[in-house]
Amino acid sequence: MEKVRKIVVAIDESEESMYALSWCLNNLVSSNYSDQHHPISSPSSASGADAVQLVLLYVKPPPPNSSSLDVSGYLFGNDVVGAMEEYSRELVDSVMSRADAVFRKYNTTKIMVERRVGSGDAKEVICRTVDKLRADILVMGTHNYGFFKRALLGSVSEYCAKHVKCPVVVVKHPKNK
């Protein structure tokens, strides 16, 4: 029986995460496939290549609470909450569309692709999902924040590298080198 290699790619609105997805397709997925015309083609049973399941994981912030207070202490109205929820849906669609555009550069018809959307603290949701799926590898981009910004915001990739059970590949965008 053919082993299915599960690769989780954490994506967000950033150029860095789309670069990480592209890097994954070029370096982790295409190495399992052989075709002169396409970077990714059908599995080569002669080479013993594993099947690949690619899981695209986008984590959106938690949904607003209907009793959320704004800065001045007033309750957000339902129209504001509804607008924020609509924006969140549009953001998910936008991120997944950008990921699809990256895939269109490859012949990915033989790759199993699953799209997942989580909600909450990105680092916690990514780690929980990777462990739940029993992923073989996690791929993520880095925003390459400086010391001060990283100290304030934390590093999602650093946190995940310390807390997931599988190997983590943190891909640095060439513009950040």
Side-chain angles (χ1 to χ4, degrees), residues 2-13:
E2 188 174 38
K3 180 186 182 319
V4 176
R5 197 166 55 127
K6 239 180 234 183
I7 302 172
V8 175
V9 181
I11 58 174
D12 62 18
E13 307 80 24

Side-chain angles (χ1 to χ4, degrees), residues 112-126:
M112 296 176 283
V113 178
E114 179 181 343
R115 290 161 182 83
R116 286 194 173 227
V117 178
S119 180
D121 183 18
K123 61 184 180 256
E124 296 290 338
V125 174
I126 292 169

Side-chain angles (χ1 to χ4, degrees), residues 37-88:
H37 307 291
H38 299 289
I40 298 174
S41 185
S42 59
S44 171
S45 57
S47 68
D50 295 337
V52 174
Q53 179 182 7
L54 202 57
V55 179
L56 301 178
L57 176 60
Y58 173 69
V59 182
K60 60 184 180 176
N65 187 328
S66 61
S67 65
S68 296
L69 299 176
D70 68 10
V71 178
S72 62
Y74 293 100
L75 292 175
F76 282 143
N78 286 339
D79 54 338
V80 173
V81 172
M84 291 186 332
E85 289 172 350
E86 178 63 24
Y87 174 74
S88 178

